[in-house]
Amino acid sequence: MNSLASAEPDWALWRSFAAVVADGSLSAAARRIGYSQPTLGRHIETLEQQLGLTLFDRTLQGLKPTETALRLYQSVAAAEAKLAEAALVAEGSTGGIEGTVRITASTVVSHYILPALLRPIRDELPAIAIEIVPSDSIENLLLRESDIAIRMFRPTQLELIAKKLGELPVVATAHASYLGAHGTPQTADELVAHTLIGFDRSDLLINAARELGFSLKRSDFALRTDSQTGAWELLKAGLGLGFAQLGMVTDTPGMRALLPSLKIPPLEVWLTTHRELFLSPRIRAIYDRLAAGLSAYIARTGRASNERTSHEQ
């Protein structure tokens, strides 16, 4: 008789099952765990046959987990997390300054800040291969979607080691070519008279503006994109006004920091890894050098901010 108790645990099948439940579709699950869609489909069918259960309802919208599947998923996800934690313990026990380290950071940090920081690290530690995951979503360190993460917020997971490296100032900005053609705003109220570059679906800028005491609507942004790197490239091209990290503004020819009276909250910078991975020599080596490089970069942008404030006074 097929049952959950009597079936031999085939973790490939359970992993596929958990991925489909978590990601909501075969295609999304396949992209994340590296199986093909047909393989995932076969795994689901095999698991259902072994258990004698229907785990998913087949609909026009795809696979919909049954109530039984959702109950099973809780146990499978817990087991998956425990297996991942065991792998982390083993990883942290291995020696040698070689292998691969996977780093995730926001798209802005990955594209515009991280490359310069990695050059001396690569010169010093050429035996360590580095994988970079530019992502504005929260990658899961416990499940090894990354080894080290650069966050713009304080992580809350107890399993993580997190070190606050400092804060990055954020300013209103535009390219000199735009300002030459359209003038320079002197107050925040004058922003809406300009071509604003902002987010499409995200309310981040609208909420931040509200906290600063002035109102912005989605329609106030003439150019909209949810790609932070895309917004930066639009700013560099002189297409309008927007907001960016002060370090990127001062490092980019032609960009100008605006509205010194507009006190925008800075971005916190946290470097994180799993507590077990912190014992791995190669991950600790990259972690420590990233911490030093990012701290130096933050200190430099802090000096630029202080010089800007002194000049304005």
Side-chain angles (χ1 to χ4, degrees):
M1 176 179 176
N2 289 332
S3 68
L4 181 61
S6 62
E8 289 294 328
D10 185 333
W11 288 111
L13 304 184
W14 286 111
R15 182 170 184 248
S16 296
F17 161 78
V20 174
V21 174
D23 295 322
S25 71
L26 287 174
S27 57
R31 285 193 298 271
R32 181 166 66 85
I33 67 175
Y35 289 160
S36 67
Q37 289 189 49
T39 297
L40 281 177
R42 286 194 299 272
H43 283 183
I44 297 301
E45 291 177 2
T46 301
L47 188 59
E48 288 180 325
Q49 292 170 3
Q50 287 185 359
L51 301 178
L53 297 171
T54 298
L55 298 175
F56 295 90
D57 293 325
R58 277 68 174 172
T59 70
L60 294 177
Q61 290 73 37
L63 298 181
K64 181 181 178 181
T66 63
E67 291 186 7
T68 299
L70 292 176
R71 290 197 301 270
L72 289 174
Y73 173 73
Q74 297 177 10
S75 298
V76 176
E80 191 175 40
K82 286 296 184 182
L83 285 173
E85 187 172 359
L88 291 175
V89 173
E91 174 74 20
S93 300
T94 60
I97 310 297
E98 59 183 18
T100 299
V101 175
R102 189 174 177 86
I103 302 168
T104 187
S106 71
T107 53
V108 166
V109 171
S110 296
H111 294 169
Y112 302 115
I113 298 174
L114 199 52
L117 301 182
L118 289 177
R119 181 168 180 175
I121 295 175
R122 286 287 301 144
D123 289 342
E124 183 183 358
L125 301 170
I128 298 179
I130 296 176
E131 297 175 350
I132 302 172
V133 185
S135 174
D136 294 321
S137 64
I138 300 175
E139 305 299 323
N140 194 325
L141 290 169
L142 178 59
L143 295 181
R144 292 305 304 276
E145 293 173 11
S146 58
D147 300 313
I148 297 173
I150 302 169
R151 303 283 196 227
M152 298 305 185
F153 56 88
R154 182 173 187 169
T156 57
Q157 291 175 276
L158 296 178
E159 300 90 349
L160 300 183
I161 289 174
K163 180 178 182 180
K164 184 179 179 181
L165 302 179
E167 297 178 342
L168 292 172
V170 176
V171 296
T173 184
H175 194 272
S177 61
Y178 174 88
L179 299 175
H182 302 279
T184 302
Q186 301 301 315
T187 67
D189 291 335
E190 295 179 21
L191 284 174
V192 292
H194 285 267
T195 300
L196 294 183
I197 297 171
F199 297 135
D200 180 18
R201 291 166 294 181
S202 171
D203 292 330
L204 182 63
L205 290 178
I206 294 173
N207 294 336
R210 185 181 300 116
E211 292 179 4
L212 292 173
F214 66 98
S215 177
L216 285 177
K217 307 181 298 296
R218 182 177 181 274
S219 59
D220 290 327
F221 297 98
L223 291 169
R224 297 186 288 266
T225 175
D226 284 325
S227 167
Q228 295 187 28
T229 53
W232 174 242
E233 292 300 327
L234 293 173
L235 287 167
K236 286 169 56 181
L239 288 171
L241 275 67
F243 304 90
Q245 297 176 28
L246 177 60
M248 293 168 58
V249 173
T250 56
D251 286 347
T252 305
M255 294 302 296
R256 302 287 184 264
L258 307 172
L259 301 175
S261 61
L262 193 59
K263 304 303 180 184
I264 303 172
L267 296 172
E268 294 185 351
V269 182
W270 292 80
L271 192 65
T272 69
T273 187
H274 194 279
R275 63 187 180 191
E276 301 293 352
L277 287 180
F278 201 58
L279 302 175
S280 168
R282 72 171 182 279
I283 291 174
R284 180 63 184 269
I286 299 298
Y287 184 98
D288 289 345
R289 285 157 179 80
L290 273 180
L294 283 166
S295 296
Y297 176 82
I298 293 167
R300 180 166 63 83
T301 59
R303 288 193 296 271
S305 180
N306 292 335
E307 290 171 2
R308 178 174 181 245
T309 301
S310 298
H311 177 71
E312 290 149 3
Q313 294 174 345

